[in-house]
Amino acid sequence: PALKRFRLPPQQRDVLTATRAARAINPRLRVMASPWSAPAWMKSGDSLIKGTLREEHYDAFARYMTEYVEALSARGIPLFALTLQNEPSFEPEDYPGMRLSTQQRIALIGTHLGPMLRAAKHDVRILDWDHNWDKPEEPTAVLSDPTASRYVDGVAWHCYGGNVSAQSQVRERFPDKSVYLTECSGGDWEPVRSGGMTMLARQLIVGGTRHWANGVLLWNLALDETAGPHAGGCGNCRGVVTIDS
């Protein structure tokens, strides 16, 4: 819990190296961080796969994310935005994930992470939800909490359920909060010949911004010709770009 063994070597070898290279090409590139799980020892089940955050580790997890923000900044990667959890209403079967209810997110943001980042004077935005359009009541509940809402810049959305109009539905209630579409993937379920990038552009980039999105992130950015590397989860997702190895 004291985080005395906090280290970044695995990310230093690939994620951070690639991100610095990208920012060298485009220094205006904004970077968002989204954990797919808290460390296993903080969770029910003591595993990166499934489970939820134990209440006694809320503070440790907030400090963990604060240290991550500081560590990236020290390595030349200032974070623009941070979410508490990728897809907090889903527990994947074979890759890291963690369920976080609205009440958990309210407590984490309002009592722990929000005050912690503000005290450290970090200029990083907290985005709530980071999940599908089909549950607008989730970010609505967090933004309706007066304490948590003070620290939340906006809402992050994914495209795998519901309709893009959910973005407008929530923004109409909270017009001072930003909107981002932070994940959508193409895949073999929608072949390139019957839509592909044209469909993604129409539905996500045009549709997303018509419903207030300040930015749209497509996932996965680049895969090889066998749709790898693959580490569990979606077996038929496409990269926006295919790299010939």
Side-chain angles (χ1 to χ4, degrees), residues 35-53:
W36 282 26
S37 172
W41 58 266
M42 294 186 188
K43 297 171 62 184
S44 62
D46 297 303
S47 172
L48 290 175
I49 297 175
K50 294 190 172 183
T52 189
L53 188 66

Side-chain angles (χ1 to χ4, degrees), residues 51-128:
T52 189
L53 188 66
R54 291 192 176 112
E55 189 171 355
E56 63 266 29
H57 291 315
Y58 283 11
D59 192 68
F61 188 46
R63 285 188 288 111
Y64 183 93
M65 288 192 284
T66 300
E67 288 208 21
Y68 185 76
V69 172
E70 293 171 350
L72 261 64
S73 180
R75 289 162 174 77
I77 305 173
L79 281 182
F80 169 72
L82 179 70
T83 74
L84 289 185
Q85 169 65 34
N86 173 70
E87 302 191 340
S89 190
F90 177 51
E91 292 178 68
E93 293 289 336
D94 61 352
Y95 61 92
M98 182 173 75
R99 195 174 290 275
L100 277 182
S101 69
T102 54
Q103 290 307 312
Q104 287 176 301
R105 301 199 311 279
I106 286 169
L108 273 165
I109 295 170
T111 307
H112 301 280
L113 183 61
M116 209 173 285
L117 289 173
R118 186 164 293 183
K121 293 182 170 56
H122 288 305
D123 185 23
V124 58
R125 306 178 182 204
I126 298 175
L127 302 179
D128 183 52

Side-chain angles (χ1 to χ4, degrees), residues 229-244:
H230 188 258
C234 180
N236 59 348
C237 289
R238 272 199 306 268
V240 176
V241 175
T242 300
I243 306 297
D244 186 339

